[in-house]
Amino acid sequence: MKCRRCKAPAQVKLPSHNTGFCPDCFFRFFSGQVARAIKDHAMIAPGERVLVALSGGKDSLALAHELKEQGCDVTGLHVYLGIPGSSDASLAHIRAFCEPRGIPLLVHSTPDDGLAIPEVKEALKGRPICSACGKIKRHAFNRAAREGGFDVLATGHNLDDETARLFANTLRWDASYLSDQGPCLPAEDGFARKIKPLYRLSEFETACYSFLKGIDNVVAPCPYSSGASFTGHKVLLEDLEHTRPGAKIMFYENFLKNGREAFRSVAGSSPALTPCARCGSPTVRETCGVCGLRRMVAARRAGLFVEDGAAGLEDEAC
Ligand code: AMP
Ligand code: FES
Ligand code: ZN
């Protein structure tokens, strides 16, 4: 196969676009998709400061690399979780990525904030750690963005992540989640604007970009998670994409165009947010779910009983 643009031998074959590219033309394609996402959804205005959440995986590193190449004012944020065998390797890897690229890096340590993930896991007594960990991370993202005066918080979610989440929300016809899903959520009530500039690119395309740009990803995955989220949904959608190239982006873009607004009118308005009495993060309760978890962990350490601080984590807004 030849490169669609320059007719050199194609090295990246993209069935969903029914085409292939040589590395240079693939980079142009990749940059074009990111630029289009940013423009279509007014994600970043000129001169805005962007905080990119870096897990150490290929998606978030590729995103930081690409935004920097596009001339954005990028700072990295890593949430260090204190997980033995995984967190130190991730942090070292991210430092080694940021330093040569001149990307400043902020590190938020959850153990220093009373929330080492192994301790949270113990305090949850067998209940799944992943959703609590997700809350703790989003809480840290938001706090770092607010305290650092950043305009935008960017994450490395790609097309596969977004369509799998949309599919899961659709299977449940969850009007509240469906009305709130999208690649750009505006700043409101103490939250920074949240953007997903890779939403038009698949996991495969991001992996090709990382590989061709020489960006390694972390080899020490979290021992508590079984891998990518929504794995089953991703497999189903990949099958569909195989028989109907372009189905994923059409599903997602048409949802944004035709579906989301309809769910907004069904979902009604969300409960009002007020600052958490302990940490100031926006919450629908007096204190937020993350402060509740911190209290549970502290009580467990002191050998005290505390009522379930994880209650309300599911509907907590932060
Ligand atoms: P995941 O939910 O693990 O698929 O991650 C989705 C996105 O969240 C990643 O692409 C990152 O942008 C961000 N992220 C996940 N974990 C971390 C972390 N520990 N520190 C900073 N950002 C993270
Ligand atoms: Fe959060 Fe594994 S990264 S539980
Ligand atoms: Zn709080």
Side-chain angles (χ1 to χ4, degrees):
M1 183 187 259
K2 290 195 165 142
C3 170
R4 177 164 89 187
R5 265 191 85 250
C6 73
K7 310 299 176 218
Q11 282 186 36
V12 187
K13 200 176 157 210
L14 302 180
S16 56
H17 297 268
N18 200 14
T19 195
F21 289 113
C22 72
D24 278 351
C25 295
F26 174 68
F27 293 147
R28 276 176 182 253
F29 160 81
F30 192 94
S31 301
Q33 295 294 326
V34 173
R36 178 169 168 191
I38 292 174
K39 182 164 176 280
D40 284 358
H41 297 277
M43 289 182 178
I44 306 170
E48 284 191 326
R49 296 177 65 222
V50 185
L51 187 62
V52 182
L54 299 175
S55 60
K58 62 183 179 336
D59 301 302
S60 53
L61 298 182
L63 174 62
H65 186 97
E66 179 59 31
L67 290 179
K68 179 89 183 166
E69 285 205 338
Q70 294 203 11
C72 296
D73 180 348
V74 172
T75 298
L77 167 68
H78 178 60
V79 180
Y80 176 87
L81 302 167
I83 302 174
S86 159
S87 295
D88 287 339
S90 301
L91 179 56
H93 182 71
I94 293 164
R95 284 198 203 286
F97 167 86
C98 288
E99 219 225 18
R101 291 170 175 83
I103 297 178
L105 177 67
L106 306 178
V107 179
H108 173 94
S109 163
T110 67
D112 290 353
D113 192 24
L115 287 163
I117 294 300
E119 282 192 277
V120 177
K121 187 173 179 331
E122 288 296 317
L124 287 174
K125 298 190 193 115
R127 279 171 297 171
I129 177 68
C130 286
S131 69
C133 175
K135 276 284 178 208
I136 291 168
K137 285 194 262 191
R138 288 193 293 278
H139 186 269
F141 295 168
N142 198 50
R143 205 160 140 187
R146 217 179 49 226
E147 290 176 3
F150 291 91
D151 304 288
V152 194
L153 174 86
T155 53
H157 293 95
N158 58 42
L159 180 62
D160 295 273
D161 299 323
E162 286 301 282
T163 49
R165 179 180 298 274
L166 175 59
F167 189 47
N169 290 337
T170 306
L171 285 177
R172 292 196 309 270
W173 293 113
D174 190 322
S176 149
Y177 281 114
L178 283 165
S179 63
D180 222 20
Q181 183 170 354
C184 180
L185 302 179
E188 55 174 3
D189 291 335
F191 291 104
R193 187 187 321 136
K194 294 195 192 82
I195 63 169
K196 299 170 182 172
L198 298 185
Y199 88 90
R200 297 185 53 82
L201 291 150
S202 69
E203 222 154 86
F204 174 73
E205 288 158 355
T206 312
C208 289
Y209 177 89
S210 300
F211 175 76
L212 292 169
K213 289 276 184 188
I215 300 168
D216 305 323
N217 63 327
V218 173
V219 284
C222 168
Y224 304 141
S225 81
S226 52
S229 350
F230 304 118
T231 310
H233 298 97
K234 285 184 178 173
V235 172
L236 281 174
L237 289 166
E238 204 45 52
D239 273 358
L240 178 66
E241 183 78 19
H242 192 69
T243 49
R244 293 190 50 200
K248 280 190 288 195
I249 190 73
M250 198 171 72
F251 175 50
Y252 194 70
E253 288 287 20
N254 284 346
F255 159 73
L256 294 178
K257 206 161 73 187
N258 303 324
R260 188 168 57 167
E261 208 46 50
F263 287 106
R264 285 196 172 147
S265 52
V266 178
S269 55
S270 330
L273 297 171
T274 50
C276 166
R278 284 169 200 261
C279 73
S281 289
T283 176
V284 294
R285 297 159 190 276
E286 195 192 334
T287 55
C288 73
V290 169
C291 283
L293 279 175
R294 192 184 295 104
R295 210 166 125 248
M296 269 173 76
V297 169
R300 197 180 160 278
R301 257 193 225 155
L304 299 172
F305 171 79
V306 63
E307 83 272 17
D308 196 350
L313 264 181
E314 290 316 316
D315 59 9
E316 171 64 40
C318 62

